[in-house]
Amino acid sequence: MPPPTPSNRLALFRMRKPLFLRIMRAVEERDHYFVQKRDAAGKKGLSCFQKVTAALRMLTYGVSADATDEYIRIGESTALESLRKFVTAIVEIFEVEYLRHPTEADIARLLAVNEKRGFPGMLGSIDCMHWKWKNCPMESQGQYKGHENKPTIILEAVASYDLWCWHAFYGMPGSHNDINVLHRSPLFDNLAEGRAPEVNYTINGHEYNMGYFLADGIYPPWATLVKTISTPMGNKQKYFATAQEAARKDVERVFRVLQARFPIIRQPGRMWDRETLALIMRACIIMHNMIVEDERVVDPDEWFPDVAENSENVHGPVAMLNVPIR
């Protein structure tokens, strides 16, 4: 059977052909490992497409390394090596662009959209996800076992309405809860160091200059986090709690879409070392953002006002409380 070609297998990679070819060319230029070579007898070795296809099949189907030999004609050890080098190249090439802090233009767009949703000043929603670690070393299992009684590694993420992941902090043992992860997360480093873009908006006569994230009940009462009301009293509080919980599902949707596109992170991790698992997670998030950008439909007539143009007459769940949001 002939080896696979780009024309007959791209539909199964969860991305469109131009994006796949862009990634493949960038990886080949970055790492000489993916360049096709000849052996001492002059016979051609594995092509870049075969190595990238083997890596993507493990990412997008969650299959084991030896399962790629039947179609890709590539050995287990070579498939594992291709996967490690592929995710490393993805992180090195695209992390700066596709896993970055939002710029002023991004913030203006997020504020404008979220104001229409009833949450002016909202930058996204935050939550954590556990990835089971099947091959966790025995001496570390006590540290990585949490509420699921199985070794897991935690991903903290911030996502927006369009399923874009703006922040990913991965690597904390599963025995920690969301508060412990947040205390070690670099999420608010720019804000603490005074490098975060300024955000100005007004709600019910109260002026704010700091954006916030929607979070669930376990998170601490920080100025940058807006939680739901656990026991709402009255129609206004009930409406706010319902709207907050609905908008906070953005990050939950990202977790589900990420696991659907890359089942390798839906199944227990088979790698022995945390470094490779971290590279796999970050590479999957980066490619997820690339797919979101590639499939995004932009309305040329859509207009996003400047951050400073937010009106004082804000309507929505936050305004209905008639009290400072924090």
Side-chain angles (χ1 to χ4, degrees), residues 101-102 121-127 156-158 166-169 178-197 199 210-215 219-227 326:
H101 293 287
M122 168 188 164
L123 298 175
S125 52
I126 181 173
D127 205 354
E156 178 192 73
V158 170
W166 293 103
H167 163 76
F169 175 57
D178 295 4
I179 300 178
N180 302 136
V181 177
L182 182 64
H183 285 164
R184 292 163 176 79
S185 171
L187 176 61
F188 298 116
D189 284 355
N190 284 348
L191 185 63
E193 297 170 4
R195 294 185 283 109
V199 178
M210 189 168 22
Y212 61 87
F213 303 100
L214 300 186
Y219 282 89
W222 291 0
T224 51
L225 300 174
V226 172
K227 304 190 295 181
R326 44 181 195 274

Side-chain angles (χ1 to χ4, degrees), residues 256-271:
R256 299 302 173 261
V257 172
L258 190 65
Q259 291 175 338
R261 282 177 172 160
F262 303 99
I264 190 172
I265 61 178
R266 186 176 63 211
Q267 302 173 357
R270 302 189 185 98
M271 300 298 174

Side-chain angles (χ1 to χ4, degrees), residues 110 114 117 119 121-128 155-168 182 187-188 211-216 219 224-227 243-255:
L110 293 173
N114 289 325
R117 302 173 69 192
F119 289 93
M122 168 188 164
L123 298 175
S125 52
I126 181 173
D127 205 354
C128 292
L155 167 68
E156 178 192 73
V158 170
S160 55
Y161 67 96
D162 56 356
L163 300 183
W164 186 283
C165 185
W166 293 103
H167 163 76
L182 182 64
L187 176 61
F188 298 116
Y212 61 87
F213 303 100
L214 300 186
D216 56 21
Y219 282 89
T224 51
L225 300 174
V226 172
K227 304 190 295 181
Q244 193 272 357
E245 292 166 6
R248 185 174 54 83
K249 296 302 180 184
D250 291 343
V251 66
E252 299 288 351
R253 291 168 56 217
V254 168
F255 290 153

Side-chain angles (χ1 to χ4, degrees), residues 33 46 51 54-55 58 64-69 74-85 271:
Y33 171 81
L46 296 171
K51 295 177 180 178
M58 287 187 281
S64 58
D66 57 354
T68 61
D69 182 48
I74 185 171
E76 178 182 3
S77 60
T78 307
L80 288 173
E81 186 178 11
S82 299
L83 174 65
R84 292 189 181 95
K85 290 186 175 295
M271 300 298 174

